[in-house]
Amino acid sequence: MVYTGLYVSMELQREAPDPLYQQIIDDLTTAIEAGRFEPHQRLPSERELSEQYQVSRMTVRHALLDLAREGTIYTRVGKGTFVAEPKIDQQLRTLTGFTQDVTARGSRPASRVLAASVVPATPEIAAALRLPPQAEVVRLTRLRLSDGVPLAVETTHLPFARFAGLLAHDFAAESLYAVLEDEYGVALTHAEQVLEAAVGDAGENELLEVTPPAAVMRMQRLTVDSAGEPVEFVLSTYRGDRYKFRFALQAGSRGV
Amino acid sequence: MVYTGLYVSMELQREAPDPLYQQIIDDLTTAIEAGRFEPHQRLPSERELSEQYQVSRMTVRHALLDLAREGTIYTRVGKGTFVAEPKIDQQLRTLTGFTQDVTARGSRPASRVLAASVVPATPEIAAALRLPPQAEVVRLTRLRLSDGVPLAVETTHLPFARFAGLLAHDFAAESLYAVLEDEYGVALTHAEQVLEAAVGDAGENELLEVTPPAAVMRMQRLTVDSAGEPVEFVLSTYRGDRYKFRFALQAGSRGV
DNA sequence: AACAGCAAGTGGTCTATACCGGTCTATACG
DNA sequence: CGTATAGACCGGTATAGACCACTTGCTGTT
């Protein structure tokens, strides 16, 4: 591990470097991922790290707390700080769109736009997006493909008032999440999802190119931005034979 | 909101009270849940809270950071700290067993033990539980019912070496998670799950009392304790028409 | 040989203080 | 009238030091 080399800020500095605690997080994460610490091996104590990085113990603790929270390390009072078991899939808990998901699995994502229009919201969708009844929403229905194979039918609803110019984009070529972030400055931070297994109906079977009876996964997803404002409400139908949903659960702290 | 009344520790104190930051978390959570702060309303600034609770600003920040991390509040540099939108289901992310799940929904859970024995682990299960090949595991297959209706078939595998006396319990009457916690002191903190939609096979259809073709949700779950040690590996099949899987996703910090 | 007790080390909590950059507003200037 | 700008206030970062409860190993006694 590199113990020196933290980027100390100077008066003449032009661009702000990462905070010290983030540099420590990155350094320790790199060391652990590179195998320089084995799982369940003890890390140097907080006081030792504070000495080695030449920062205060509180700054070291800030870094270690974040690492513990994301599950990279764990602590035991009186004993020390230890490297956790590597996760089966570290990034399962993160919030990603279809494009990222498929790319991360090493496949080539593609989309076919089946419908794109502005329509009055159904009561269910207006309630989910916290819009007045009958408010206009942008509705975008896409067939999602992975390496050319149909994987899902996805219908996204967004408030028209907030994303009026959205349909000017060609979502066969662009990622919706990328447009939301780059053009509208929307930071998606949280989503509530509901998954359900069902038997596909005739339309779904045809679009997904499966022969009945075929199992599908129906997904409902409400995504909100960093201010807690609902941004999109998605109804998806995934092929059951090609889609596995992986994720991690953490126990709530203090008896939630 | 109650600004006074933090439990200040004294020398003669017998039982340790919650840490100050936890008392502040509880107090603010109570105030927010009671509606004394509206969503998107600004909370007092950190310096004001520090004055009102008579603690240092760092202690207030410790409380606010935890609240922000669990999504109760959000912060904006230069503007303040604000109450977030209430979650659709705050406790979705927590780690619970079937008994808790069903009870939380206001239904009556029940179990019928279909098989309980000690068997050599299959290669897949030995790898998941990080046991040597052919190591012995406790295998417990249960039919899970909610208000008398069959909901799932669940097969749990646990390392025999660690839980040798487990099968002395009657798991038609006792919750596995309760036994693990009370008798073995195991704190389950983390699980990796995989969900998949499928068409139920003949055996499943009969046990779950559905007529084919019926959709089912297959679930695979690896639960680990606080030290990162795998504790149980579960294969479940849920009725698709009666089981919806709800959960929350959070965006990873710093571009995970 | 067995045990009680102490001391050292560990993470957990808390204080008091300082400075930074982002945000907003009132005031003075053109 | 519009626009800079100064200052107040905000959360974010970082310091140095203190005390606590818990764990472990050593040590002296029984």
Side-chain angles (χ1 to χ4, degrees):
Chain A
M1 165 158 46
V2 181
Y3 283 129
T4 58
L6 290 202
Y7 196 118
V8 178
S9 115
M10 289 180 290
E11 282 183 20
L12 298 178
Q13 198 55 43
R14 296 291 169 197
E15 297 213 348
D18 269 352
L20 294 178
Y21 76 86
Q22 186 61 43
Q23 296 180 50
I24 296 175
I25 289 174
D26 295 342
D27 192 51
L28 290 177
T29 303
T30 304
I32 289 170
E33 284 175 357
R36 293 203 283 284
F37 290 104
E38 297 293 314
H40 305 291
Q41 182 181 339
R42 231 202 80 191
L43 292 175
S45 76
E46 296 178 352
R47 287 158 181 90
E48 284 167 12
L49 289 172
S50 145
E51 178 72 21
Q52 289 160 348
Y53 283 114
Q54 285 293 298
V55 298
S56 75
R57 192 182 149 213
M58 285 304 290
T59 302
V60 170
R61 275 185 61 76
H62 190 163
L64 294 183
L65 270 170
D66 279 8
L67 285 170
R69 208 139 17 208
E70 73 178 48
T72 306
I73 62 176
Y74 61 95
T75 59
R76 288 290 173 274
V77 178
K79 300 183 72 171
T81 303
F82 304 85
V83 176
E85 279 298 317
K87 297 287 172 53
I88 294 176
D89 194 350
Q90 181 91 2
Q91 63 270 37
L92 290 177
R93 266 167 297 167
T94 66
L95 192 53
T96 54
F98 179 87
T99 307
Q100 276 177 273
D101 281 351
V102 172
T103 306
R105 281 175 178 72
S107 297
R108 196 170 35 82
S111 292
R112 210 164 72 217
V113 176
L114 301 177
S117 57
V118 178
V119 297
T122 65
E124 180 195 24
I125 288 164
L129 291 174
R130 287 198 285 118
L131 297 173
Q134 300 276 323
E136 291 197 309
V137 293
V138 177
R139 190 175 65 191
L140 177 65
T141 303
R142 289 176 290 181
L143 182 67
R144 305 297 223 149
L145 306 98
S146 171
D147 286 336
V149 178
L151 188 63
V153 182
E154 192 176 280
T155 303
T156 307
H157 306 77
L158 303 102
F160 176 67
R162 186 169 176 192
F163 304 105
L166 196 66
L167 289 183
H169 291 82
D170 173 17
F171 290 109
E174 284 178 278
S175 159
L176 173 62
Y177 280 22
V179 170
L180 289 179
E181 185 171 340
D182 297 343
E183 178 156 335
Y184 292 92
V186 172
L188 298 173
T189 56
H190 187 265
E192 304 275 353
Q193 302 200 184
V194 181
L195 287 183
E196 187 180 5
V199 176
D201 64 29
E204 290 166 342
N205 291 337
E206 187 183 339
L207 282 169
L208 296 176
E209 299 177 9
V210 292
T211 53
V216 297
M217 183 90 88
R218 294 234 170 83
M219 185 173 97
Q220 174 185 318
R221 167 164 168 164
L222 179 71
T223 314
V224 307
D225 65 15
S226 54
E229 199 68 26
V231 172
E232 62 156 12
F233 185 77
V234 190
L235 295 169
S236 308
T237 303
Y238 284 83
R239 274 177 68 157
D241 58 345
R242 292 199 166 259
Y243 186 74
K244 292 190 182 185
F245 196 86
R246 316 174 66 99
F247 58 98
L249 287 181
Q250 300 258 357
S253 54
R254 298 204 175 246
V256 172
Chain B
M1 168 161 43
V2 180
Y3 283 130
T4 57
L6 290 201
Y7 198 119
V8 178
S9 118
M10 288 179 290
E11 283 185 17
L12 297 179
Q13 199 54 46
R14 295 291 167 197
E15 296 214 347
D18 270 352
L20 294 178
Y21 75 87
Q22 186 61 44
Q23 297 180 49
I24 296 175
I25 290 175
D26 294 343
D27 193 50
L28 290 176
T29 303
T30 303
I32 290 170
E33 283 175 358
R36 292 202 284 279
F37 289 104
E38 297 293 314
H40 305 291
Q41 181 182 342
R42 230 201 83 192
L43 292 176
S45 75
E46 296 178 351
R47 287 160 180 90
E48 284 167 11
L49 288 173
S50 141
E51 178 72 21
Q52 288 161 348
Y53 284 114
Q54 286 292 299
V55 298
S56 76
R57 192 181 151 213
M58 287 303 290
T59 301
V60 169
R61 276 185 61 74
H62 191 161
L64 294 183
L65 270 171
D66 279 7
L67 286 171
R69 207 139 19 208
E70 74 178 46
T72 306
I73 62 176
Y74 61 96
T75 59
R76 289 289 172 273
V77 176
K79 301 184 75 172
T81 303
F82 304 86
V83 176
E85 279 298 318
K87 295 290 172 52
I88 294 177
D89 194 348
Q90 182 90 0
Q91 62 271 37
L92 290 176
R93 266 168 297 166
T94 64
L95 193 53
T96 54
F98 178 88
T99 307
Q100 276 176 272
D101 282 349
V102 171
T103 306
R105 280 172 179 73
S107 298
R108 196 170 34 82
S111 293
R112 210 164 73 218
V113 176
L114 302 178
S117 56
V118 178
V119 297
T122 66
E124 180 196 24
I125 287 163
L129 291 174
R130 289 197 285 117
L131 296 173
Q134 301 276 320
E136 290 196 311
V137 293
V138 177
R139 190 174 65 191
L140 177 64
T141 302
R142 287 175 291 180
L143 181 69
R144 304 295 223 151
L145 305 97
S146 171
D147 285 338
V149 178
L151 188 64
V153 183
E154 194 176 277
T155 303
T156 307
H157 305 78
L158 303 102
F160 177 68
R162 185 168 176 192
F163 304 104
L166 196 66
L167 290 183
H169 291 82
D170 173 17
F171 289 109
E174 285 178 278
S175 157
L176 174 61
Y177 280 21
V179 170
L180 289 179
E181 187 172 339
D182 297 343
E183 178 155 337
Y184 292 92
V186 172
L188 298 174
T189 56
H190 186 265
E192 305 275 352
Q193 300 198 186
V194 182
L195 287 183
E196 186 180 5
V199 175
D201 65 30
E204 290 166 341
N205 291 338
E206 188 182 337
L207 283 169
L208 296 176
E209 299 175 9
V210 292
T211 53
V216 296
M217 183 93 87
R218 295 232 170 85
M219 184 174 98
Q220 175 184 315
R221 167 164 169 166
L222 179 71
T223 314
V224 306
D225 65 15
S226 54
E229 199 69 25
V231 172
E232 63 158 9
F233 186 76
V234 190
L235 295 169
S236 308
T237 302
Y238 285 82
R239 272 177 69 156
D241 59 346
R242 292 200 165 257
Y243 187 73
K244 292 189 184 188
F245 196 86
R246 317 173 66 100
F247 59 98
L249 287 181
Q250 299 260 358
S253 56
R254 303 210 172 235
V256 172

